[in-house]
Amino acid sequence: MLRQAVRAALFILMTACCALPAAAQPARHVAIQLVAESTTPAPGREVALAFAATPQPGWHGYWKNPGDAGVETRVDWTLPAGVTAAPLDYPVPQRLVIAGLMNHVYEKPWALLTRLTIPAGLAGGTRLPVTAKIDYLVCTTEICVPETQTLSTVLTVGDGAIAPATRARFDAWRSALPRPLDAAATWSRAGDRFRLSVPYPREAALGEAWFYPAAAGATDYPAAQTVTRDGDRVVVETKGAATPATGTIAGVLATGEGRGLSITAQPGEVAMPRSGADWQAALVAFAGAVLGGLLLNVMPCVFPILSLKALGLARSGESERHARAEALAYTAGVVAVCVALGALLLGLRAAGSSAGWAFQLQDPRVIGVLLLVTVAIALNLAGLFELPTPEFAGRSGATGAFMTGALAAFVATPCTGPFMAGAMGAALVLPPVAAILVFAGLGLGIALPFLAIGFVPALRRRLPRPGAWMGRVRRILSVPMFLTALALAWVLGRQAGVDGMTLGLAAALLLALALWIAGRRQLAGLARGGWIAAAGALLATAAVATIRPAAKQELALAGAEPFSEARLAALRAQGRPVFAYFTADWCLTCKVNEKTAIETAATAQAFRRNKVAVLVGDWTDGDPVLGRFIERHNRAGVPLYLFYAPRAPEPRVMPQVLTTGMLAALK
């Protein structure tokens, strides 16, 4: 009740202040400039205008719905006959809590955009004086000041030309506007809890999300909001407003980094994500992970390490207690790495990344480090060097066993085996605790053979007795490690191009040379041998750290090209039919159409047969150039599907729900 009284008092005070005459106001704390995108608008077209605001340090302005305190900006226009102004478009706001009151504000320079419609039939050179009286409120954390400015500009009817610098300014301002969501959201009220379900593809990035309602009646503004990703939707739950709204609720879902989506929500049922773990599914995934990890031991990247460790245990001749201790330490190393990678993966996905298992292998620098590790292991197994420093493989003791297990798990990440895909896929949709259990199961599966050797004396007795043959086995085991290194070099070439692969191989050669020098007999037992090896490893790692991904175009449909108006004009000049589609990672309808209709074998075959060129416009980042093109086709956002027949003057705007048959008929 006290907070409501404070809100009411503040509102009355600020409303009264706004009625003060301009002469009584102090110096302005926000400089506002009225900017026209084109000073020579064409008749019958629209011209964009911006109120570009720059606050003094420590001052802020307000969003359309200011929150618990504040006043919406008001504009009174004086326009020539026939000229009309559209409502103001606001950029995505920020949150500012003062004394328990939530404010929706702008603390950095911002711009409010609008559009003037110029009447058709005006003669070139006609002057159009435009005047706007703008009333707004600016505040610090301690005081608020109402301000008024009267801004004017003169437009002249002409060709609609836009200066490049001005276009760049408007592009930046438009990129800060929330983008319209193509699908309707749903909201519900359960007691005092407000719930909002927003369609949002699971692959789309999502930063620190927050729902800003456009009007009162939806949420209690200062209350914490719980944002949960649940498949192809985002669910927001918070305390509802004291006086609930009914009907449609509009607002902005901020998605992080100053970006957001403009949404419209209809009343309906909002199913909450499952709060408890589905332990039956988790146990099935755990069993699959254990089996998949067990099968990884026969992969060329793991088998040599496991074999050498097992033979080292047989060679040591230690007690059963010692064998069990080593087995447990090895298992702990494997499980620790698998759980750490799994936890990092879950953290990345919670932050909005679409990473999957072995996500680190998408970075060519990680591939480069793995290449160095496998080359070093292969050279050691081949007998090129023996260092006085501790060896992982074959070294006795709990520390050596733990490090060997960690190494085995790390080098196993490039390998995949049966049962792993399903288990890892299930882990990504399970609750975090259950998911971590699945990752631990993968580590347990990798460690099972050595665990069995350590705890079952009969298995250890079946191992061959130590002898000279073990040296030959070591060299044989180097072959699969060299093959693994070769495969990693190929992957590095795919990711970073020939230059990146060459740099990685050069770094591996440098490491091999350093290890060979350090392992020479005359250096054995000397500290400088270890220093030489360490220096070589450091230089080689520094070299692979400079590798960068090669530029590549990720277009799923074969033969597709990135959209540009120049490329479209060139294809049409050649007389080719063109299918242009505009998409975004956060557009659910787009993704459904792409997977079910566009990116199919039938569509690709039909396009090749009919010689249809495909252009793809990715509007994920709100590219203003694409935005203007989309607007010219009377669309506020994506998806947009256009087909240009060879001799048709205008494109055919296709439905927002596509089928393969619909696309196959294009020619």
Side-chain angles (χ1 to χ4, degrees), residues 339-430:
V339 168
L341 288 174
L344 181 57
L345 169 60
L346 295 177
L348 290 174
R349 291 181 66 86
S353 172
S354 58
W357 177 248
F359 62 93
Q360 68 275 22
L361 301 181
Q362 298 172 355
D363 190 330
R365 292 167 294 189
V366 175
I367 297 294
V369 171
L370 276 172
L371 175 62
L372 297 180
V373 171
T374 53
V375 166
I377 295 173
L379 294 176
N380 180 262
L381 293 175
L384 181 68
F385 68 92
E386 293 287 345
L387 294 179
T389 53
E391 297 178 23
F392 290 159
R395 180 176 172 79
S396 61
T399 301
F402 181 89
M403 296 303 295
T404 303
L407 178 65
F410 182 66
V411 300
T413 53
C415 299
T416 57
F419 304 100
M420 271 191 63
M424 295 299 100
L428 299 182
V429 299
L430 287 170

Side-chain angles (χ1 to χ4, degrees), residues 309-652:
K309 189 62 186 173
L311 293 176
L313 184 64
R315 180 178 56 194
S316 65
E318 297 287 351
S319 65
E320 182 173 337
R321 179 181 178 183
H322 177 267
R324 291 179 176 179
E326 283 214 21
L328 289 174
Y330 178 87
T331 302
V334 176
V335 172
V337 170
C338 289
V339 168
L341 288 174
L344 181 57
L345 169 60
L346 295 177
L348 290 174
R349 291 181 66 86
S353 172
S354 58
W357 177 248
F359 62 93
Q360 68 275 22
L361 301 181
Q362 298 172 355
D363 190 330
R365 292 167 294 189
V366 175
I367 297 294
V369 171
L370 276 172
L371 175 62
L372 297 180
V373 171
T374 53
V375 166
I377 295 173
L379 294 176
N380 180 262
L381 293 175
L384 181 68
F385 68 92
E386 293 287 345
L387 294 179
T389 53
E391 297 178 23
F392 290 159
R395 180 176 172 79
S396 61
T399 301
F402 181 89
M403 296 303 295
T404 303
L407 178 65
F410 182 66
V411 300
T413 53
C415 299
T416 57
F419 304 100
M420 271 191 63
M424 295 299 100
L428 299 182
V429 299
L430 287 170
V433 174
I436 290 296
L437 177 66
V438 175
F439 293 120
L442 177 65
L444 179 62
I446 297 175
L448 265 182
F450 192 70
L451 199 62
I453 292 173
F455 277 80
V456 182
L459 292 178
R460 290 201 306 278
R461 288 194 295 268
R462 289 180 178 274
L463 293 175
R465 293 187 177 184
W469 62 270
M470 295 183 68
R472 294 192 294 273
V473 170
R474 279 175 58 111
R475 288 189 287 274
I476 292 173
L477 291 176
S478 70
V479 174
M481 292 307 298
F482 278 121
L483 292 176
T484 300
L486 184 63
L488 289 170
W490 178 82
V491 173
L492 186 60
R494 295 282 294 177
Q495 290 186 344
V498 175
D499 292 345
M501 182 175 64
T502 302
L503 184 58
L505 292 175
L509 180 61
L510 172 64
L511 178 63
L513 180 62
L515 292 173
W516 177 74
I517 294 175
R520 292 174 63 188
R521 291 182 180 276
Q522 58 266 38
L523 291 177
L526 300 180
R528 61 174 175 166
W531 283 109
I532 292 173
L538 184 61
L539 290 174
T541 304
V544 300
T546 64
I547 298 174
R548 294 292 182 270
K552 59 183 179 179
Q553 200 70 40
E554 296 185 358
L555 297 175
L557 188 63
E561 302 177 64
F563 176 86
S564 71
E565 293 190 58
R567 183 54 181 159
L568 173 62
L571 290 170
R572 285 180 56 75
Q574 297 172 13
R576 291 191 59 183
V578 180
F579 173 64
Y581 71 93
F582 300 84
T583 181
D585 289 346
W586 39 262
C587 171
L588 183 61
T589 304
C590 303
K591 297 307 169 187
V592 171
N593 283 332
E594 287 159 25
K595 296 304 179 186
T596 61
I598 299 175
E599 297 169 4
T600 63
T603 297
Q605 183 178 3
F607 281 175
R608 284 195 300 269
R609 182 176 62 251
N610 298 326
K611 298 182 179 180
V612 177
V614 180
L615 299 179
V616 184
D618 188 348
W619 204 44
T620 300
D621 296 330
D623 182 354
V625 176
L626 287 181
R628 287 193 298 271
F629 185 86
I630 292 169
E631 286 180 3
R632 291 206 299 268
H633 292 82
N634 299 318
R635 290 290 175 86
V638 290
L640 172 63
Y641 305 107
L642 302 175
F643 177 66
Y644 295 83
R647 289 175 294 276
E650 295 294 333
R652 169 187 165 194

